[in-house]
Amino acid sequence: MALLKRRMIFISHAWRYDDHYRTIERWLNEEPNFIWSNSSVPNTNALPDKTSAGLSRGMTRQITPSQVVLIIAGMYANHSAWIEYEIKEAQRLGKKIIGIRPRGHERTPRIVQDASICPLVSWSRSSVIRAIRTYA
């Protein structure tokens, strides 16, 4: 059997919509023959420096080792300066970005569509895993 590739993944999310983050984290953890490390910042392990500069440095530190950044393309991303920061920082660092369309969302933010390395993937375990395996 070939060696499995370990992927370092940053899952961008709005803490107010933590259920999306938790679902993707569960999908990745439960996927057979899939090894990953989580470089995200869940609300249960917040960055210690709450200043704007401190949060920016912390996000950059978390994104830097990742191979891919997953962006959940809920419309709240249009109104989140932090999700916009994560996208721009991932682009500056040369990280691959995969946009994920939440279930039931017909509209998605243009910033996520434009940043994604591929068309937005549907809200399903198989679609997300396939995109990661293909692009990361």
Side-chain angles (χ1 to χ4, degrees):
M1 178 180 201
L3 292 175
L4 294 177
K5 179 179 180 180
R6 175 177 293 277
R7 293 168 173 90
M8 179 71 77
I9 300 172
F10 181 90
I11 306 168
S12 174
H13 63 289
W15 282 359
R16 189 174 317 154
Y17 301 96
D18 196 47
D19 54 327
H20 289 149
Y21 168 81
R22 295 281 169 219
T23 297
I24 292 174
E25 184 181 48
R26 182 175 42 83
W27 288 344
L28 299 179
N29 286 335
E30 293 175 352
E31 181 65 18
N33 300 315
F34 189 85
I35 301 171
W36 77 295
S37 295
N38 191 346
S39 68
S40 307
V41 183
N43 65 4
T44 56
N45 192 20
L47 296 169
D49 186 344
K50 305 291 190 247
T51 66
S52 185
L55 290 172
S56 295
R57 282 190 304 272
M59 290 293 187
T60 298
R61 199 171 40 251
Q62 297 301 119
I63 293 169
T64 296
S66 67
Q67 294 158 306
V68 66
V69 174
L70 304 180
I71 307 285
I72 302 166
M75 286 308 290
Y76 54 81
N78 265 349
H79 310 290
S80 172
W82 288 114
I83 292 176
E84 182 177 348
Y85 175 83
E86 291 166 351
I87 290 170
K88 290 183 177 187
E89 193 63 0
Q91 290 171 324
R92 184 185 74 79
L93 294 168
K95 305 302 176 178
K96 296 175 181 172
I97 296 172
I98 297 173
I100 304 167
R101 180 188 308 273
R103 174 170 282 131
H105 286 234
E106 292 182 19
R107 295 179 43 206
T108 55
R110 173 60 62 197
I111 189 171
V112 179
Q113 293 175 43
D114 291 346
S116 186
I117 194 168
C118 58
L120 296 183
V121 299
S122 65
W123 185 256
S124 74
R125 177 176 163 169
S126 62
S127 295
V128 171
I129 298 292
R130 185 178 325 109
I132 294 168
R133 284 188 166 138
T134 300
Y135 297 102

